[in-house]
Amino acid sequence: MHPKHDASIMRGEVLMELKRLVRILRKRWILIVAFTLLGVVGGAAAALLTPVQYQASTRVFVATQIQNGSTPGDLVQGNNFVVQKLPYYLDVATSPRVLDPVIARLGLNESAVDLAERITATTQPGSAVIELSALASTADAAQQLAQAVSESFTDVVINQLEKPADGGASPVTVGVLDPAVAPNNPALPQLYLNLAVGLFIGLLGGLLTALILGLLDRRIYNRDDIERLTVVPVLGGIPLEARGNAIISPDGASTARAEAFRVLRTNLEFADADTGRRSLVVTSSVSGEGKTTTLVNLAIVLAESGATVAVIDADLRTPRLADYLGLDADHGLTDVLRGDVQLKESLQSWGAEHPLTVLSSGKIPTNPSELLGSTAMGTVLDVLSSSYDYVLLDAPSVLAVTDAAVLSRWTGGTILVVGANRVREPELLAAFDALKAVGTTPLGVVLAMVPTRGPDALVRDGGFAASSRPAPRATPATDADKNDSSHSTPPDSESAPSATATRVTW
């Protein structure tokens, strides 16, 4: 493969992942806001619970004593001596040798170790200046403490640590640059800093939590999720219907939901443009993904375009088609397959201007898979396919039973309905594998129940333009193939037993 093509594919994958991450964050913005607010509240609580503290500071410098006759080299050497010893002096400033006299002088009721937590000694690199800071509950106490520490530090350095053993003058001197003054405002709590830290921690925690939950969420939400898992084209996106509006109006009204099905109709015609008559199984991975309403509405827009359409309720376990359309379900497919009723007597018409021909399920049998795999079922499809432009079969979900897989071998294609936020990635992949196991590749996928708001909402009415990727298409049968086999013979004797095969009369 060409390197430029590889780079283009890689860029596309990176962009898709970035879009996915952005979509995850947009979808869980409430969680991010909640964590952020929690962080701000935590920062405010920390500020309220922190005792008020005032800070006073003083600056002292440490230098070598200038002796008579000192040369510039001696001064430089002495300055280097002081700079090298400054880390040692910083430790001395918070040591008990300095703080014990301070405690005695101010009458403090605490140990040197406890007092050291309120004293800090800092310096800049290469500088001989030490800044001594002290915290206290009042401004005056902070000023007195800082002053006492600087005086004790000066005494310890000059008269104890650096005093020669022979009693001579100390080689170093400590002088005060800035005396301690009482502060006007408290140093703690730092409300704005606490709020900023709380905001940052909360925002970071919210982002990480949202990303983790989003990456662990294996549900299918949008077209990108499907295209990430399979090369089967997405034929359309159907917005989530309002309550009581599952079936679109058959009078050709232009609504967002109706336009979505018209886009699906167009994409379906492009996906399988080689055949004049088509029989299609409409199924889903699991129950509750909207396959029955998708089938009915697709049949309505197909009939609206002038095509003749027959609809079969092949879900012989939990049939819903007759209830949705308000038709009689007492006599239907099962009666025809058993030979109890003629096919033409079981067909019902629905709709006025663009009528649909409907074959309801009939009585629920004890052996649905055997009936659907019988030669009688093949005969029913042959008869209807020769009389109608489209024959749509409502089949049970793929992972629940084998009925959809059995029916897919009788028909010209399978449409897999995927309900947004209703099916997980492993379930969708298992459905593809189940269909592949019987030699069927779905003609396309329909994303149903897409929300009308939020990051996963359809961008425009109808959701998708014409599919940019060609749908997998079965190779047209030759005349010899047609002579050798027909829909009247089950493709596999094991999956389509002939025990229930009966003669279907038209």
Side-chain angles (χ1 to χ4, degrees):
M1 188 174 293
H2 198 279
K4 290 186 178 179
H5 186 61
D6 290 340
S8 178
I9 293 177
M10 184 174 297
R11 284 195 299 269
E13 292 176 349
V14 171
L15 289 176
M16 182 174 291
E17 286 301 317
L18 289 177
K19 286 174 56 180
R20 182 187 180 197
L21 294 179
V22 172
R23 194 168 58 248
I24 287 173
L25 296 180
R26 289 183 59 195
K27 187 180 300 182
R28 290 170 172 80
W29 67 269
I30 294 180
L31 178 66
I32 298 173
V33 171
F35 267 77
T36 303
L37 292 177
L38 185 62
V40 172
V41 171
L48 292 175
L49 295 175
T50 301
V52 176
Q53 297 281 301
Y54 290 85
Q55 186 179 56
S57 301
T58 180
R59 294 200 306 160
V60 299
F61 71 92
V62 183
T64 57
Q65 292 279 13
I66 300 177
Q67 305 292 334
N68 293 332
S70 298
T71 65
D74 294 335
L75 295 177
V76 173
Q77 186 176 2
N79 183 66
N80 292 336
F81 166 77
V82 170
V83 171
Q84 291 175 0
K85 297 198 69 173
L86 274 183
Y88 167 69
Y89 291 147
L90 296 179
D91 291 337
V92 170
T94 56
S95 66
R97 179 174 286 191
V98 171
L99 298 183
D100 282 338
V102 173
I103 293 174
R105 175 180 172 181
L106 299 179
L108 302 178
N109 188 23
E110 58 185 322
S111 66
V113 176
D114 295 333
L115 180 58
E117 295 179 357
R118 298 194 286 126
I119 305 299
T120 57
T122 59
T123 186
Q124 297 296 325
S127 173
V129 177
I130 298 176
E131 182 174 358
L132 299 173
S133 300
L135 286 173
S137 58
T138 66
D140 291 338
Q143 185 268 337
Q144 294 173 9
L145 181 58
Q147 189 65 33
V149 170
S150 67
E151 293 174 358
S152 179
F153 172 76
T154 301
D155 179 67
V156 170
V157 172
I158 296 177
N159 298 323
Q160 299 180 35
L161 299 179
E162 301 297 346
K163 189 175 181 62
D166 58 4
S170 172
V172 299
T173 182
V174 179
V176 177
L177 287 178
D178 299 318
V181 295
N184 295 323
N185 299 311
L188 295 176
Q190 296 178 307
L191 177 60
Y192 294 112
L193 178 60
N194 285 359
L195 292 178
V197 171
L199 174 66
F200 175 76
I201 294 177
L203 179 60
L204 181 61
L207 291 174
L208 292 177
T209 303
L211 287 175
I212 292 173
L213 292 178
L215 294 175
L216 292 178
D217 188 358
R218 303 294 300 279
R219 286 174 292 182
I220 300 297
Y221 288 100
N222 48 54
R223 180 177 189 168
D224 291 341
D225 292 337
I226 298 175
E227 293 182 342
R228 187 163 40 86
L229 300 175
T230 179
V231 295
V232 176
V234 181
L235 300 177
I238 310 302
L240 185 66
E241 69 272 7
R243 185 176 297 275
N245 295 327
I247 306 301
I248 65 175
S249 174
D251 59 4
S254 180
T255 64
R257 187 168 166 79
E259 289 303 319
F261 281 104
R262 294 185 182 107
V263 172
L264 170 60
R265 176 189 65 194
T266 301
N267 287 343
L268 180 61
E269 292 172 350
F270 278 107
D272 194 29
D274 290 345
T275 58
R277 295 187 178 92
R278 278 147 282 187
S279 57
L280 302 172
V281 174
V282 179
T283 184
S284 60
S285 303
V286 296
S287 61
E289 296 189 70
K291 63 177 179 61
T292 302
T293 56
T294 299
L295 177 142
V296 173
N297 291 320
L298 176 59
I300 290 174
V301 296
L302 287 172
E304 179 186 285
S305 68
T308 56
V309 183
V311 179
I312 302 176
D313 191 350
D315 189 344
L316 303 184
R317 301 172 189 270
T318 55
R320 297 185 178 89
L321 187 61
D323 291 338
Y324 282 173
L325 299 179
L327 300 176
D328 180 19
D330 292 339
H331 301 287
L333 180 60
T334 55
D335 304 288
V336 175
L337 296 180
R338 288 170 175 166
D340 298 336
V341 180
Q342 291 185 357
L343 177 59
K344 64 181 180 180
E345 296 177 353
S346 299
L347 298 177
Q348 303 178 66
S349 180
W350 183 87
E353 186 174 355
H354 306 289
L356 302 178
T357 299
V358 182
L359 178 60
S360 63
S361 63
K363 300 179 181 65
I364 298 178
T366 58
N367 56 344
S369 297
E370 287 77 7
L371 284 177
L372 296 177
S374 65
T375 55
M377 186 67 199
T379 303
V380 169
L381 289 177
D382 279 343
V383 172
L384 293 178
S385 297
S386 63
S387 304
Y388 294 88
D389 296 326
Y390 288 93
V391 179
L392 305 182
L393 292 86
D394 184 14
S397 55
V398 175
L399 299 184
V401 290
T402 61
D403 298 5
V406 171
L407 285 171
S408 67
R409 304 184 68 180
W410 290 115
T411 59
T414 301
I415 296 176
L416 190 65
V417 177
V418 176
N421 196 21
R422 301 301 177 98
V423 64
R424 299 181 180 274
E425 292 180 6
E427 294 170 330
L428 181 60
L429 292 175
F432 280 116
D433 292 339
L435 294 174
K436 184 179 179 181
V438 295
T440 299
T441 299
L443 188 66
V445 173
V446 177
L447 183 62
M449 300 182 174
V450 182
T452 56
R453 296 181 180 180
D456 295 320
L458 298 177
V459 177
R460 58 188 181 277
D461 291 347
F464 305 134
S467 178
S468 59
R469 292 190 300 187
R473 186 179 297 121
T475 304
T478 62
D479 293 339
D481 294 333
K482 294 178 181 178
N483 293 332
D484 291 341
S485 61
S486 68
H487 284 306
S488 300
T489 304
D492 192 312
S493 59
E494 293 183 0
S495 61
S498 60
T500 58
T502 58
R503 183 175 62 88
V504 177
T505 56
W506 173 250

